[in-house]
Amino acid sequence: MTKPGKLGQLFLEKQLLTDAQLGELLQQPPADGTSLGTLAVRRGWVTAERLLEVLSEHYRMPAVRLREMTLEPDALALVPAKVAYHCTLIPVRVTKTTLVVAIANPQDVRALDEVRLVLQGRLVVEALLATEADIQEALKAHYGLGADMPAPSRGAKPAAKGALSKAEDGLEDLEQMAGDASVIRLVNQLILEAHARGATDIHLEPHRGTLHLRYRVDGMLHNMEVSSVMKQLYPAIVSRVKVLSNLNIVERRLPQDGRASVKIGEDKLDLRVSVLPTPAGESIVVRILPNKRLLSLRDLGFREEDVQLLGRILKKPHGMILITGPTGSGKSTTLYACLNTIDTSERKIITIEDPIEYEMENVTQVQVQPNIGLTFAQGLRSMLRHDPDVMMVGEIRDVETAELAVRIALTGHLVFSTVHTNDAASAVTRLMEMGLDPYLIASSVECVIGQRLVRSLCTKCKQAAPGPGGQGEMAYQAKGCAACHQSGYLGRSAIYEFFLVTQEIKELLLKRASADAIRQKVVELGMRTMREDGWEKVRQGLTTLDEVLRVTQDDT
């Protein structure tokens, strides 16, 4: 075993590491020269903040928190991205005589020498200490993903071949571009970064002379810095994504949709890829879906009394449960949570979806394919021949699907589905607008859930604030920290309204009452509106007043 050096002795003296931990780190030193401190942080033996504090004191170097600083563009422009990435440092500020950079390893004099070489003696280089995680985050934020990568070589051999004939013009070149190591690494980095941030979508949007990269995190789009290398390699990135998702890499005039699966550590992700042609090039959206996901109504934000009430409805042998809300309001997630509570050993469940977002054990799932005639309506007819007890229809879009779903619910089956309306009361009137007879709706629909998704406050950095009702009430507001990438929010939960189709509601339906009249009646009967549910979650410190107002602007 290698003897501990001065740094190792320091860690022992400061009780950052035990003798056994230090011995384990020295047993097999990494080939890439990673420092002892970084290795200890990666193994969770010491926090990055504690390590920074000890190193700052020992080397008498000021420590900084890059996440709380604004880096000067003039300083960043002095050090090329490849040098900054290679040396794991980031320029902070510059004066007439001095360039200040942040480094993670105070012993790495080689890194500072490389910066001096780039500057050719024009400026003195001074160093500050920062955590490696902060430096890596700053590098991506200011230089952009892939800034450290070389352009692909023209003679590179492809890593994966497409299924098309070589007779297609330009195909061989496209395959070579898609198989270049730099392109493969860059696409992998895009997916890894999205997964690390908890993003649900990656948006790559070409425009005249530029490229936009955005991640959707907790329902909000966040712009990312795009490196010049990524702009240069964008056609190759498109080809690589097409190869991964089994799309035609030559076709650039028509929209294409595909799927792929990747594994990140222990997590397996399903990728749903959509390519759309634009005048400036092909735009790409990649939806990231966990392959397996445990869901519960409580985790989604449902109150205990409503979970119990919904549980009793789910035990019924027939009827329809409708979930409503705009696109992106979590309707499908709630449907999966409902299905997840049903005992599949006693009942057969079949779903027809567009698309299948999560795979469920012991559930037969069917993907809609309109191009070959497999629509929701056609799928429903075929599913009935498989003797199901429970059926889920991803969405009711037309009168044919609506009539079939309602009649199936009336003939001894429990049916789940979604409708696009702004509130719960409008769901039943939307079915009437489609042409369904009121008595069919009144006889089949058991309950309606209307919902939105609000961002949940980060539990590590939320701050106390005045509550929505005033009079001394307290709530919380978003602040921002490393755990939530400075957004102040981490994850999402549902705010919802939930009513049963009671005898009073059935009488209104038979009279073809308006959505407003139905809404007024269910509120009189005790329904808590989405906004009221939101206020309650604000008081509980789960979200903020701004979030509730943002998603319930159309709620009266």
Side-chain angles (χ1 to χ4, degrees), residues 244-555:
L244 280 174
S245 49
N246 296 313
L247 299 180
N248 184 341
I249 63 174
V250 176
E251 179 57 70
R252 300 176 182 177
R253 302 163 300 171
L254 297 173
Q256 297 188 69
D257 295 304
R259 298 181 75 97
S261 294
V262 296
K263 191 173 183 182
I264 299 177
E266 297 299 318
D267 297 329
K268 185 178 179 184
L269 307 177
D270 286 334
L271 307 180
R272 198 169 77 231
V273 178
S274 180
V275 181
L276 194 66
T278 74
E282 291 178 285
S283 178
I284 297 175
V285 174
V286 180
R287 170 66 57 87
I288 302 172
L289 301 168
N291 188 260
K292 297 290 183 183
R293 189 173 184 182
L294 294 176
L295 301 160
S296 77
L297 291 167
R298 293 178 181 86
D299 292 339
L300 294 178
F302 281 72
R303 297 185 296 275
E304 184 61 32
E305 59 267 29
D306 289 334
V307 171
Q308 297 295 332
L309 179 57
L310 192 54
R312 291 195 291 272
I313 296 173
L314 294 176
K315 292 179 181 179
K316 291 188 175 184
H318 56 80
M320 176 181 281
I321 297 171
L322 285 177
I323 301 177
T324 184
T327 300
S329 59
K331 299 186 298 297
S332 297
T333 303
T334 301
L335 282 178
Y336 282 113
C338 291
L339 291 179
N340 203 39
T341 65
I342 297 175
D343 188 347
T344 54
S345 64
E346 295 182 355
R347 293 197 273 183
K348 175 159 183 172
I349 305 173
I350 305 180
T351 73
I352 181 162
E353 308 171 52
D354 184 24
I356 297 172
E357 294 194 4
Y358 303 111
E359 295 179 8
M360 301 188 71
E361 290 186 18
N362 302 320
V363 175
T364 303
Q365 295 173 273
V366 179
Q367 168 73 51
V368 168
Q369 298 185 60
N371 56 319
I372 59 172
L374 180 52
T375 61
F376 280 115
Q378 181 58 46
L380 277 173
R381 293 190 186 94
S382 300
M383 287 157 61
L384 279 173
R385 304 187 190 105
H386 283 250
D387 189 29
D389 299 294
V390 180
M391 300 173 73
M392 184 183 96
V393 186
E395 182 184 345
I396 293 177
R397 299 175 178 171
D398 52 65
V399 63
E400 184 181 12
T401 305
E403 286 182 344
L404 278 169
V406 165
R407 294 187 184 279
I408 289 170
L410 289 172
T411 55
H413 303 83
L414 188 61
V415 178
F416 298 85
S417 193
T418 69
V419 182
H420 281 282
T421 60
N422 287 330
D423 58 33
S426 299
V428 286
T429 57
R430 175 62 55 85
L431 295 180
M432 286 192 286
E433 291 169 2
M434 286 183 177
L436 265 66
D437 290 329
Y439 77 90
L440 290 175
I441 302 170
S443 303
S444 60
V445 178
E446 293 288 337
C447 71
V448 183
I449 301 171
Q451 68 177 59
R452 301 285 192 282
L453 291 179
V454 293
R455 291 181 292 171
S456 300
L457 278 165
C458 175
T459 56
K460 293 186 177 181
C461 67
K462 64 183 183 181
Q463 291 182 326
Q471 299 177 349
E473 279 191 356
M474 292 303 296
Y476 290 88
Q477 64 184 8
K479 180 186 176 185
C481 66
C484 59
H485 296 281
Q486 306 304 318
S487 70
Y489 298 94
L490 195 61
R492 289 189 289 177
S493 65
I495 60 172
Y496 65 96
E497 52 191 28
F498 174 26
F499 74 86
L500 301 178
V501 180
T502 60
Q503 187 59 40
E504 294 94 331
I505 305 303
K506 289 180 181 181
E507 291 174 1
L508 287 176
L509 287 172
L510 294 175
K511 295 176 182 176
R512 293 184 176 271
S514 67
D516 287 340
I518 294 174
R519 181 178 178 81
Q520 183 178 347
K521 174 57 71 173
V522 295
V523 169
E524 288 176 7
L525 293 173
M527 185 190 80
R528 188 187 326 202
T529 67
M530 277 185 279
R531 181 165 287 185
E532 290 169 342
D533 187 45
W535 291 163
E536 183 59 33
K537 287 180 169 63
V538 170
R539 294 185 183 97
Q540 294 171 3
L542 301 177
T543 189
T544 63
L545 182 62
D546 289 342
E547 269 297 287
V548 174
L549 292 174
R550 179 179 67 85
V551 303
T552 61
Q553 290 178 359
D554 54 357
D555 189 25

Side-chain angles (χ1 to χ4, degrees), residues 173-302:
D173 185 54
L174 285 171
E175 287 184 339
Q176 288 181 347
M177 292 169 65
D180 188 273
S182 296
V183 177
I184 293 173
R185 183 181 162 201
L186 187 50
V187 172
N188 290 347
Q189 192 174 345
L190 282 168
I191 298 170
L192 283 168
E193 183 68 15
H195 179 61
R197 290 176 175 271
T200 55
D201 300 87
I202 304 171
H203 293 250
L204 285 162
E205 303 158 342
H207 297 277
R208 295 294 183 188
T210 187
L211 174 67
H212 293 171
L213 167 62
R214 300 192 285 178
Y215 290 143
R216 188 178 293 279
V217 181
D218 295 333
M220 305 295 288
L221 284 170
H222 298 267
N223 289 310
M224 306 297 294
E225 187 69 24
V226 177
S227 65
S228 58
V229 174
M230 184 180 292
K231 294 175 186 176
Q232 179 186 352
L233 295 181
Y234 186 64
I237 291 171
V238 174
S239 296
R240 177 61 187 168
V241 172
K242 286 182 177 180
V243 168
L244 280 174
S245 49
N246 296 313
L247 299 180
N248 184 341
I249 63 174
V250 176
E251 179 57 70
R252 300 176 182 177
R253 302 163 300 171
L254 297 173
Q256 297 188 69
D257 295 304
R259 298 181 75 97
S261 294
V262 296
K263 191 173 183 182
I264 299 177
E266 297 299 318
D267 297 329
K268 185 178 179 184
L269 307 177
D270 286 334
L271 307 180
R272 198 169 77 231
V273 178
S274 180
V275 181
L276 194 66
T278 74
E282 291 178 285
S283 178
I284 297 175
V285 174
V286 180
R287 170 66 57 87
I288 302 172
L289 301 168
N291 188 260
K292 297 290 183 183
R293 189 173 184 182
L294 294 176
L295 301 160
S296 77
L297 291 167
R298 293 178 181 86
D299 292 339
L300 294 178
F302 281 72

